[in-house]
Amino acid sequence: MAKFDVVDIANNKVGEIELADEVFAQEQNPHLFYEVVKMQQANRRRGTVAVKNTSLVSGSNKKPYRQKGTGRARQGSHRASQWVGGGKAMGPKPRDYFYRPSRKVRRAALAKALSLRASQQALLILNEFPSNGKTKQSFEVLTKGLGLKSALVVDEKSNGHLLLSIRNLTKFDVLPPEAINLESILKRKNLVLTQAAAKQIETALLQALSAGKA
């Protein structure tokens, strides 16, 4: 079990917490990061780009001029792609970019990202993160109290004031444990977890990883 210091919002040590090595002390595998982040970015693509082909552009299908005797290349329609205003040949069509690596890969990548932040000394465990819903208060705690410039903060969904107070900060993100994901962890330089959130993440990932081995 890996041991981590637990601090308060003034960055003073108030205790210790033990977290599973399978979640917070994994060896790194950059290829897993690549696969899962690529999945997240691809799945956000709307895939709505399209152009008009020959069948969709307006215009007559009448043959522009006779087939032979004019000295010009034969043509069948003004809507063909070589004409100005004609359809686009082999243009893009609406498509779905969605794909998903296996659950084992996704969970392993998340555990390795948590381990990465732990190995970089960029993981902070708070005993709690009280909030009155004011953005200024949360900003001062993160920047002055904890000395952070950029971070992802994870706390239980029940702490609704915290979710509201951090969501407007440009260099800080906030998520409940259920929504934590690889891209959000890698996007910010630091990761701030409350004790409750850390235990919730540990339990969920241990169950997922053990199920993957079965």
Side-chain angles (χ1 to χ4, degrees), residues 32-43 99 182:
L32 283 184
F33 292 169
Y34 166 76
E35 287 294 338
V36 176
V37 171
K38 183 177 71 170
M39 173 205 73
Q40 290 185 258
Q41 294 179 348
N43 291 350
Y99 83 101
L182 178 63

Side-chain angles (χ1 to χ4, degrees), residues 6-9 14 125-130 155 159 193-195:
V6 178
V7 299
D8 58 18
I9 57 176
V14 294
I125 309 290
L126 294 181
N127 58 344
E128 60 178 349
F129 200 138
D155 195 9
N159 192 356
L193 306 177
T194 61
Q195 283 190 95

Side-chain angles (χ1 to χ4, degrees), residues 96-116:
D96 184 6
Y97 288 92
F98 180 86
Y99 83 101
R100 177 174 286 180
S102 69
R103 178 176 294 183
K104 181 179 178 181
V105 169
R106 302 196 309 271
R107 297 297 182 266
L110 188 55
K112 290 180 185 299
L114 295 168
S115 302
L116 175 65

Side-chain angles (χ1 to χ4, degrees), residues 80-139:
S81 59
Q82 68 268 24
W83 287 84
V84 174
K88 179 71 174 178
M90 295 178 288
K93 298 179 180 179
R95 56 164 291 188
D96 184 6
Y97 288 92
F98 180 86
Y99 83 101
R100 177 174 286 180
S102 69
R103 178 176 294 183
K104 181 179 178 181
V105 169
R106 302 196 309 271
R107 297 297 182 266
L110 188 55
K112 290 180 185 299
L114 295 168
S115 302
L116 175 65
R117 288 292 178 256
S119 66
Q120 294 173 335
Q121 304 297 314
L123 173 62
L124 282 176
I125 309 290
L126 294 181
N127 58 344
E128 60 178 349
F129 200 138
S131 174
N132 59 7
K134 300 295 184 182
T135 300
K136 182 178 180 181
Q137 182 212 30
S138 295
F139 180 74

